[in-house]
Amino acid sequence: MRKIIIAGNWKMYKTISEALELVNGLKRILYNIENVEIVICPPYTCLDQISELISESNIKLGAQDMHWETEGAFTGEVSVLMLKDLSCRYVIIGHSERRQYFSETNETVNKKVKTALKYNITPIVCVGEKLEERQAGKTFQIIEDHIKNGLKDLSKEELARVVIAYEPVWAIGTGLTAKPEQAQEVHSFIRKLLSDMSDEETAQNITIQYGGSVKPDNTKDLIKQKDIDGALVGGASLKIDPFVEIIKNAAGLEAK
Ligand code: PGA
C-alpha cells in the first residue's frame, strides 16, 4: 500500500519567526491526521528550531537540497550529516529550480540520491518537462532521461525507498495545473519505468507525488488518479489555510 505524502516546499520564504508561527498553526490543526504523511521543507535557517517544535508531532521534516559529499571544502553547501543532525527525514533532490538556476544535472541528482539513501534520508526526486519540451512532444523522453539517469545504478531495495515528484515545469508557480488525466498519463509512465528498473511489486509501492500549482480545489481530482500518491506543494504551503485544506482533502481519499 502506498501512503499519500503531502510535502510543502517553502523555497526561499520565511524568516524563523514567520516559520514558527506557520508550524505552530499546522501542528494545532493537523494533530489527528494519520493516513497522510505530512512533510514540510523549510529553508535551512529554520530547520533547527522547527525540528524541535515538531519532534513529538505527526509532521516530518525535510530539506530542499543537500550536497553529495558528507563533508568537505564546499563553501555554502549543506551535507547529509548536517541534515541527519536536525532529524530531517526527507530531502528534495533535483527540483527544477535547482536544475534551471544552479546547474543541477541528472548526474548530480544521482550522486545526491545515493548519499541520501545511504544515510537513510528519503529523497524526493523531482522530474518534469519544460513547456517547450511538452510542445515539441518530448515529455516522455525527458521524463525517461530524468528517471533513468537520476536513479541510475540503484538496487531494488534502494529504489523502493525513493519518492518521486512529477512536476511539469510549466505548472510550477504559474497557476497552470496539469489536468488530472494529463498528470496520470505521466505518472503511469514513470511507474512503468520504475518497474522496468526493478520489478512490478517494487514499482507499485513507490510513492509518486504530483507538483505544480497544487491548491485545495484541485487536490482531490489529482490524487484520485490511480498513480498519483500525493503532492509537492509550493505556494499553497506557505499559508496555514490552503495547506491544511490540501492535507484534509487528501486525508479523505482511499489509500492505493
Ligand atoms: P507551486 O510549486 O506549488 O508553487 O507551483 C511547486 C514546487 O515547485 O514544488
Side-chain angles (χ1 to χ4, degrees), residues 48-186:
D48 187 19
Q49 292 189 41
I50 292 181
S51 178
E52 212 160 293
L53 188 59
I54 62 176
S55 64
E56 308 273 291
S57 80
N58 56 346
I59 302 175
K60 307 282 179 355
L61 193 60
Q64 297 174 20
D65 189 26
M66 57 167 238
H67 198 272
W68 58 84
E69 295 288 348
T70 49
E71 61 179 14
F74 300 104
T75 302
E77 291 292 321
V78 168
S79 83
V80 69
L81 297 178
M82 297 166 187
L83 299 185
K84 286 225 54 110
D85 227 6
L86 295 164
S87 307
C88 282
R89 308 274 193 90
Y90 291 85
V91 60
I92 299 171
I93 304 281
H95 189 279
S96 65
E97 286 149 19
R98 302 289 326 164
R99 294 180 192 259
Q100 186 178 352
Y101 305 122
F102 303 99
S103 314
E104 186 87 84
T105 63
N106 290 328
E107 288 67 40
T108 57
V109 167
N110 188 238
K111 291 199 233 181
K112 292 176 180 186
V113 168
K114 286 177 179 162
T115 302
L117 290 170
K118 184 169 172 194
Y119 288 89
N120 241 334
I121 292 191
T122 301
I124 299 178
V125 184
C126 301
V127 302
E129 80 288 358
K130 300 191 190 102
L131 182 59
E132 58 272 25
E133 291 164 341
R134 176 163 280 267
Q135 285 169 339
K138 291 189 180 158
T139 300
F140 294 107
Q141 192 183 317
I142 297 294
I143 299 299
E144 183 162 354
D145 181 44
H146 285 177
I147 292 283
K148 287 207 168 149
N149 292 311
L151 304 177
K152 200 170 159 184
D153 298 329
L154 297 192
S155 67
K156 227 185 268 186
E157 291 66 33
E158 287 173 320
L159 263 184
R161 293 192 285 127
V162 165
V163 169
I164 311 285
Y166 168 55
E167 299 206 302
V169 180
W170 48 271
I172 296 178
T174 58
L176 288 174
T177 319
K179 292 192 197 81
E181 311 74 49
Q182 217 175 12
Q184 165 58 26
E185 194 186 19
V186 179

Side-chain angles (χ1 to χ4, degrees), residues 9 11 95 97 167 171-174 211-214 232-236:
N9 172 14
K11 309 192 180 185
H95 189 279
E97 286 149 19
E167 299 206 302
I172 296 178
T174 58
S213 299
V214 172
L232 183 54
V233 186

